[in-house]
Amino acid sequence: MRESNTDLRVIRTKESIRDALVELIDEKGFEAITVKDITTRARINRGTFYAHYQDKFDLITKCEDEIMLEMYRIAKQNIPGVIAVLETNSPTLTPLPFAVSIFEYLNENSGFMKAVLGPKGDLSFQTRLKDFIWKIMFGNNPDALFKKENLLVPGQYLTSYVASAHIGVIQQWLDSGRKESPQEMARILSTITVNGPFFAAGLKK
């Protein structure tokens, strides 16, 4: 029972620290934040902070690691289904389950995602997201979406286009207050990604 209480206390402490980080990024930007700012906002002492993190950079990296790890898990679980849908060669107007799962997870972590992807957050996180999309699309594993030998354009340009578009859509959704549900956002992104922007604009049937 004591171990359970200790674990719960650690979880709550980390949540308080993460919440403080998000609030402070919104207020003053990550670069200007100090550990003292974080501990004051989270109402903990510096010793408690340093029991879990080396500094603010270690904190944001570990928070981002948790996000990336879960997104990889979601991707690995859903990629076979995405491949099956794409192989039907039929226009997709219904949301891909993969996209629904990703947007549901982003919705659950919207505060952190909006903070780190915003102009005051961690610019390097976008690079990590682009690397994530590269691995999903072309990674050296049997679960990758596409085979390099089938490409009609260089892979790095395709990945850059898709990654920038996806991140842009996610940022727009977060910045506009998440008015659409994760299911609706998944439908929007699936339609644009699978069928192309001209199809989504009604120019190509």
Side-chain angles (χ1 to χ4, degrees), residues 81-90 92 96 145-146 194:
V82 175
I83 294 174
V85 170
L86 294 178
E87 287 178 344
T88 64
N89 292 319
S90 60
T92 299
L96 295 171
L145 273 177
F146 307 122
V194 177

Side-chain angles (χ1 to χ4, degrees), residues 35-184:
V35 170
K36 187 176 188 304
D37 291 331
I38 297 171
T39 57
T40 299
R41 182 62 59 91
R43 297 181 179 179
I44 60 172
N45 58 50
R46 291 170 68 88
T48 300
F49 178 90
Y50 287 119
H52 302 291
Y53 308 104
Q54 297 177 12
D55 50 32
K56 69 174 187 177
F57 300 101
D58 184 44
L59 165 60
I60 198 167
T61 297
K62 286 180 176 175
C63 288
E64 291 171 355
D65 285 347
E66 290 179 10
I67 295 288
M68 298 308 301
L69 186 63
E70 182 60 17
M71 289 179 69
Y72 275 117
R73 187 195 68 76
I74 293 171
K76 187 173 182 180
Q77 187 177 47
N78 286 275
I79 286 301
V82 175
I83 294 174
V85 170
L86 294 178
E87 287 178 344
T88 64
N89 292 319
S90 60
T92 299
L93 297 178
T94 55
L96 295 171
F98 173 41
V100 174
S101 296
I102 287 292
F103 272 103
E104 286 177 342
Y105 183 66
L106 294 175
N107 191 49
E108 292 170 4
N109 295 274
S110 59
F112 180 78
M113 293 300 296
K114 182 180 178 182
V116 294
L117 287 176
K120 297 180 182 179
D122 179 13
L123 297 179
S124 68
F125 189 53
Q126 289 196 28
T127 301
R128 295 190 68 182
L129 285 178
K130 288 180 178 179
D131 289 341
F132 164 75
I133 293 173
W134 168 266
K135 289 177 181 177
I136 295 304
M137 292 174 67
F138 306 111
N140 295 321
N141 62 78
D143 297 324
L145 273 177
F146 307 122
K147 305 300 180 185
K148 292 182 181 180
E149 60 269 20
N150 295 333
L151 296 180
L152 302 180
V153 297
Q156 67 269 28
Y157 292 112
L158 180 58
T159 302
S160 180
Y161 176 84
V162 172
S164 297
H166 280 57
I167 293 171
V169 169
I170 290 169
Q171 287 175 314
Q172 177 63 35
W173 180 58
L174 294 171
D175 290 342
S176 61
R178 294 176 292 129
K179 296 181 178 66
E180 297 84 1
S181 68
Q183 290 74 21
E184 175 62 10

